[in-house]
Amino acid sequence: MKNKQANQILRAWDLAEKISGGELDKKAKWFSGDIRKTAYQKRESGTINEKISQNNQSSDQHVTISLLYLGAYKKQDLRDSIQNIRFRDTEMVQNRDPAKGYSVALIVNSDWSFQKIEVPYAAYFYLKLRQENIEEAMHGQQYDDFKSQLSQQLEEVIDRKRADLAECLALANQIVLKTFKLAGTRNVGQLRGLFQIQDEPPMLNSFYTEDIERVLQASADDSLLLKYLGLNPDVATKQEVDQNRDFISKLLDVENLPDGRWPGPEKYFQSLMQQVAVNVIRGKGPIKTDLKTVNGPTGDRKNNAITRRVCRYDRTTS
C-alpha cells in the first residue's frame, strides 16, 4: 500500500489480531489418567516413527497428533501490561478478561515424537512488554529467530532416546516457563491439550494476519479498501447508524420487510440492528456503496444476518 495512513491502520490492525490470539481451545483436556497411559503405550510401541514430512506422502492419509499447551497465563495480565507499561495508565479495569493464553503449542505425533511448535505472537509480545522492550514487542524483528531457537530446544528434549515421557514433558514445560519468565506449574500432570486429533489441529493463529500482510505488500492502493478504511475523499461523512433513529425508522419501514427468512425457530428472528444491516445490504436505505461489511465481536450473530440476505437473494432470483 502506498497510502501512508492506510499502512498505519493496517499495521495496527495486524498487531491487534496477533496479540488477541493465543488462547487455549475450549475443548482442551487435562493430560492425566487414561490419556497418560495411552500416550506411554504409543511412545513405547513406536506407532509412528516417521516425521510429519513422511506422514504426508499421501494426501488422503489421516495422521493422528496431539497438542499440548505450555506456559499458560491470564490474558488479563497481558491487557494490564499493555495498559500499564505501554501507555503508563494505572486505572483499574472493570471488565476483566477470564480467558487463558498459552506461550507454546507443542504438537507431537501419535507416538509422542516431536513434530513442531507454534508460538503465538501474543506470548512473545507479552514477554517483551514485561522486559520493557516496547520497540521489539511492537515490531517483532527477532520473533522468527526466537521461535526457531525455542523449537530446536524443545525438539531435542521431546525426542530424547529411551527417556521417560513424563520427564521429557516436564522438562519441556520448564524450558517454556523459564523462556517466557512465567511462574507457572512445573507438574506435567497440570498440562492441558487436545489428544489424538485427526488431520488438522485447531486454528492457532488469526487467519486475518496473512491477508493483512499481503495487502501491505501490494504495490498499488485498492480503492475499495481505502473506502472501507474511510480514507477515500469521495466517501460521504460517516454516520453512527445505531444512534440515528430517523435513519433506522425509515430503513425499517414495513415496506422494506423481506418476503422470506431463513427457516428456523421464531426466537431466532434477527435483532433490530441485524435487520438494519440486512436492509442496507439489500439497498433499501440511502447508503449506496460498492462495498458493504458486517462487523462485530464474536457471538453477535454476523453469520445469522448474512444468511438472511442469502435467503432473500435466493427467493427473488429463483
Side-chain angles (χ1 to χ4, degrees):
M1 294 290 291
K2 294 181 179 179
N3 188 295
K4 185 176 180 180
Q5 197 173 357
N7 268 276
Q8 292 177 333
I9 293 173
L10 289 170
R11 292 189 187 284
W13 185 4
D14 184 47
L15 180 60
E17 283 292 330
K18 288 177 178 177
I19 64 178
S20 65
E23 293 185 7
L24 273 69
D25 191 284
K26 294 180 180 178
K27 297 179 182 178
K29 299 178 180 179
W30 297 104
F31 279 78
S32 59
D34 293 340
I35 293 180
R36 303 285 319 127
K37 183 178 179 181
T38 304
Y40 275 112
Q41 291 173 345
K42 292 207 171 188
R43 185 178 175 90
E44 290 172 1
S45 63
T47 307
I48 297 180
N49 294 315
E50 298 84 7
K51 291 294 182 185
I52 191 62
S53 59
Q54 295 170 308
N55 283 330
N56 283 339
Q57 288 178 357
S58 170
S59 58
D60 350 274
Q61 187 173 3
H62 294 282
V63 180
T64 303
I65 62 174
S66 295
L67 180 153
L68 284 82
Y69 294 110
L70 307 179
Y73 64 93
K74 296 178 181 178
K75 291 290 282 189
Q76 184 59 51
D77 290 344
L78 168 57
R79 292 189 175 193
D80 289 342
S81 295
I82 295 173
Q83 180 178 336
N84 298 337
I85 299 174
R86 176 66 182 89
F87 296 104
R88 306 297 179 185
D89 180 0
T90 58
E91 184 177 350
M92 179 65 68
V93 176
Q94 298 300 319
N95 298 320
R96 311 290 290 178
D97 186 351
K100 294 281 188 181
Y102 66 90
S103 301
V104 169
L106 171 63
I107 302 173
V108 295
N109 297 310
S110 66
D111 64 345
W112 287 65
S113 60
F114 179 89
Q115 185 186 119
K116 66 176 182 177
I117 67 167
E118 288 291 341
V119 179
Y121 192 81
Y124 182 75
F125 180 91
Y126 183 35
L127 170 65
K128 293 304 172 183
L129 208 56
R130 284 177 289 130
Q131 294 176 336
E132 299 204 3
N133 189 346
I134 296 176
E135 182 69 18
E136 178 59 23
M138 298 293 288
H139 300 288
Q141 298 294 329
Q142 301 171 20
Y143 170 66
D144 288 337
D145 290 340
F146 174 89
K147 180 179 176 180
S148 178
Q149 292 172 12
L150 181 57
S151 179
Q152 184 177 353
Q153 278 185 283
L154 293 178
E155 180 174 6
E156 291 174 356
V157 168
I158 297 300
D159 284 348
R160 288 166 59 193
K161 302 297 183 183
R162 297 180 297 279
D164 179 78
L165 177 59
E167 178 185 337
C168 290
L169 295 179
L171 182 54
N173 191 38
Q174 289 180 28
I175 290 173
V176 172
L177 293 175
K178 182 178 179 181
T179 300
F180 287 90
K181 304 187 183 304
L182 297 170
T185 175
R186 299 182 183 276
N187 182 355
V188 71
Q190 296 300 310
L191 296 181
R192 277 189 286 188
L194 301 170
F195 184 62
Q196 290 187 334
I197 307 168
Q198 292 291 334
D199 298 324
E200 291 294 323
M203 186 172 62
L204 297 172
N205 298 296
S206 170
F207 56 84
Y208 282 123
T209 56
E210 290 185 6
D211 290 336
I212 295 172
E213 290 170 1
R214 177 176 57 81
V215 172
L216 281 167
Q217 294 172 4
S219 57
D221 293 340
D222 185 277
S223 59
L224 284 180
L225 179 60
L226 293 178
K227 284 184 180 181
Y228 176 70
L229 297 176
L231 301 177
N232 192 314
D234 297 331
V235 176
T237 304
K238 290 183 177 180
Q239 59 176 304
E240 297 291 338
V241 175
D242 56 349
Q243 297 177 13
N244 190 332
R245 294 191 178 186
D246 182 59
F247 172 82
I248 291 177
S249 63
K250 292 178 181 178
L251 196 62
L252 295 180
D253 188 278
V254 66
E255 294 182 357
N256 291 331
L257 286 176
D259 297 326
R261 65 180 291 269
W262 196 265
E266 291 183 2
K267 65 179 181 179
Y268 293 132
F269 271 98
Q270 53 267 41
S271 67
L272 173 69
M273 294 311 297
Q274 282 178 321
Q275 189 61 60
V276 167
V278 170
N279 287 355
V280 168
I281 293 172
R282 291 169 58 209
K284 296 297 182 179
I287 300 178
K288 309 291 183 182
T289 64
D290 297 328
L291 177 70
K292 299 180 177 72
T293 66
V294 180
N295 306 310
T298 303
D300 71 341
R301 302 176 71 79
K302 295 181 292 296
N303 288 344
N304 182 275
I306 293 172
T307 57
R308 299 304 191 266
R309 177 63 189 100
V310 173
C311 179
R312 170 65 183 177
Y313 178 79
D314 287 346
R315 189 183 187 285
T316 56
T317 57
S318 61

